[in-house]
């Protein structure tokens, strides 16, 4: 706009100085030449004004369209937020249904919400964690006893893959909820799960991502935890009797006073894991090398043939609260 005004002022000044371009000594055609030149300058000025008007109109149109797009976007965001709230409310209501299929629908609806809405992800984790804690507080009264000498859900092949448990295990909806918690995407500052005190006997959690999850006091006896990510998970006092932990990532995990009697630990990474007071009696495929990478103390019970490393006991890390 400023450039246009400057050009227009220049044309006006040029129009006024046109006679100076034609000296008085020129023949009688001087007047006509001055008139013709001024006409050309006038046409250029008019064209400039018209162009400026078109540009102003175009700018106003673009501004109006931008406002309209912003309004449409805000309307869309409000509608989307309303739809998410409606979907979330319906999903939570489904969790309280007496029908299994309806509860499963609610669990998977919450998974979709957590994936599509980062803002709702923490709430979904809290809701599903609470659902598990509420519905897995004790062994099911109708659970069939496991075969003699075998923990429910602890069966597996020689390659470390967990088979289908022959007995026990969480209810279908509880298993679905913990499966969803173990496969939700990683987001900064969002907890993986809070399943403190839940009874997850025989749970199938192979390859689940439960890094930094709160699992203190959880019963995971006979559970399948093959290649499960439990990095820095809180497993204080957890019951892992007969669990299958082949290839599990337990780096920095807190396993103080955990019970791992008969657990299988083929290739499990125990680097920096805290085993103070843990019971590893009869733990299968545990090696001296794995113990050397972990922390323990005089109260740690080891399988026959293994000895406490010279580095035990180790000092508790200053940035981790000491377990009560």
């Amino acid at each position: 706009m400023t450039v246009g005004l400057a050009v227009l002022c220049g044309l006006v000044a040029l129009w006024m100085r046109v006679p100076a371009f034609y000296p008085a000594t020129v023949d009688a055609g001087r007047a006509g030449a001055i008139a013709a030149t001024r006409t050309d300058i006038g046409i250029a000025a008019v064209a400039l004004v018209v162009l400026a008007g078109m540009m102003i109109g175009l700018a106003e149109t673009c501004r109006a369209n931008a406002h309209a797009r912003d309004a449409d976007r805000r309307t869309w965001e409000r509608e989307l937020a309303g739809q998410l709230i409606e979907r979330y409310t319906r999903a939570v209501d489904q969790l309280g249904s007496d029908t299994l299929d309806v509860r499963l629908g609610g669990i998977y609806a919450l998974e979709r919400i957590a994936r599509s809405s980062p803002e709702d992800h923490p709430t979904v984790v809290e809701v599903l964690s609470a659902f598990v804690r509420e519905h897995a507080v004790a062994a099911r009264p109708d659970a069939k006893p496991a075969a003699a000498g075998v923990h429910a859900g602890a069966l597996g092949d020689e390659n470390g893959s967990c088979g289908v448990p022959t007995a026990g295990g969480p209810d279908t909806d509880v298993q679905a909820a913990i499966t969803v918690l173990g496969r939700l995407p990683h987001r900064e500052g969002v907890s993986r799960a809070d399943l403190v005190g839940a009874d997850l006997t025989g749970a199938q959690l192979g390859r689940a991502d439960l890094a930094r999850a709160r699992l203190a006091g959880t019963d995971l006896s006979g559970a399948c935890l093959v290649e499960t990510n439990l990095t820095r998970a809180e497993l204080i006092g957890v019951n892992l009797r007969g669990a299958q932990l082949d290839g599990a990532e337990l780096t920095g995990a807190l396993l103080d006073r955990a019970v791992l009697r008969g657990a299988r630990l083929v290739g499990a990474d125990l680097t920096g894991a805290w085993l103070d007071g843990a019971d590893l009696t009869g733990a299968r495929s545990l090696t001296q090398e794995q113990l050397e990478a972990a922390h323990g103390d005089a109260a740690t019970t080891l399988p026959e043939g293994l000895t406490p490393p010279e580095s035990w006991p180790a000092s508790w890390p200053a940035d981790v609260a000491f377990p009560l």
Side-chain angles (χ1 to χ4, degrees):
M1 188 69 178
T2 302
V3 174
L5 285 174
V7 173
L8 183 60
C9 290
L11 289 174
V12 171
L14 182 62
W15 186 89
M16 295 178 65
R17 290 187 56 81
V18 166
F21 300 149
Y22 300 95
T25 57
V26 179
D27 61 17
R30 178 173 180 271
I34 292 173
T37 302
R38 282 181 166 174
T39 298
D40 291 341
I41 293 173
I43 292 173
V46 170
L48 179 62
V49 171
V50 172
L51 179 61
M54 292 174 62
M55 294 297 291
I56 292 173
L58 180 61
E60 289 297 329
T61 300
C62 291
R63 189 178 297 109
N65 288 340
H67 286 314
R69 286 195 299 271
D70 288 342
D72 290 342
R73 179 177 54 79
R74 288 192 294 270
T75 300
W76 176 79
E77 288 175 348
R78 286 195 297 269
E79 291 177 352
L80 180 61
Q83 292 172 3
L84 280 172
I85 292 173
E86 183 179 353
R87 287 168 54 196
Y88 172 79
T89 302
R90 187 186 306 120
V92 173
D93 287 342
Q94 287 178 297
L95 292 184
S97 172
D98 293 331
T99 305
L100 174 61
D101 289 345
V102 176
R103 294 197 299 275
L104 290 175
I107 291 168
Y108 295 126
L110 286 173
E111 179 182 14
R112 290 193 296 272
I113 291 171
R115 290 183 179 277
S116 62
S117 174
E119 294 80 7
D120 294 304
H121 188 167
T123 303
V124 169
V125 171
E126 293 175 5
V127 170
L128 290 179
S129 294
F131 178 84
V132 173
R133 294 195 305 269
E134 182 68 22
H135 292 79
V137 294
R140 295 180 302 160
D142 59 339
K144 298 177 182 179
V150 179
H151 264 283
L155 299 180
D157 58 27
E158 291 303 317
N159 295 321
S161 298
C162 291
V164 178
T166 58
D171 288 335
T172 303
D173 50 358
V174 172
Q175 177 65 60
I178 58 178
T179 298
V180 167
L181 287 169
R183 72 186 182 202
L184 285 175
H186 261 292
R187 289 197 173 105
E188 187 67 28
V190 179
S191 169
R192 299 302 301 170
D194 183 354
L195 307 178
V196 173
D199 184 350
L200 301 177
T201 303
Q204 298 292 300
L205 286 166
R207 297 181 176 85
D209 187 346
L210 295 171
R212 295 177 181 269
R214 298 189 65 231
L215 300 165
T218 303
D219 189 345
L220 285 164
S221 55
C224 172
L225 295 161
V226 171
E227 297 182 12
T228 300
N229 184 3
L230 292 162
T231 301
R232 301 198 68 177
E234 184 182 323
L235 295 158
I236 299 169
V238 69
N239 182 3
L240 288 163
R241 186 188 299 263
Q244 192 159 342
L245 290 150
D246 295 3
E249 181 62 64
L250 289 158
T251 303
L254 306 183
L255 285 153
D256 300 75
R257 301 191 301 277
V259 178
L260 292 109
R261 284 176 169 260
R264 179 165 155 164
L265 294 153
V266 177
D269 190 347
L270 296 172
T271 303
W274 292 86
L275 300 168
D276 294 21
D279 186 354
L280 291 155
T281 304
R284 295 172 290 161
S285 303
L286 180 65
T287 67
Q288 190 68 35
E289 184 180 4
Q290 286 172 301
L291 292 177
E292 294 287 349
H295 306 291
D297 61 9
T300 305
T301 307
L302 302 178
E304 292 184 9
L306 298 180
T307 59
E310 294 182 2
S311 60
W312 291 11
S315 300
W316 190 260
D319 61 337
V320 179
F322 193 85
L324 299 177

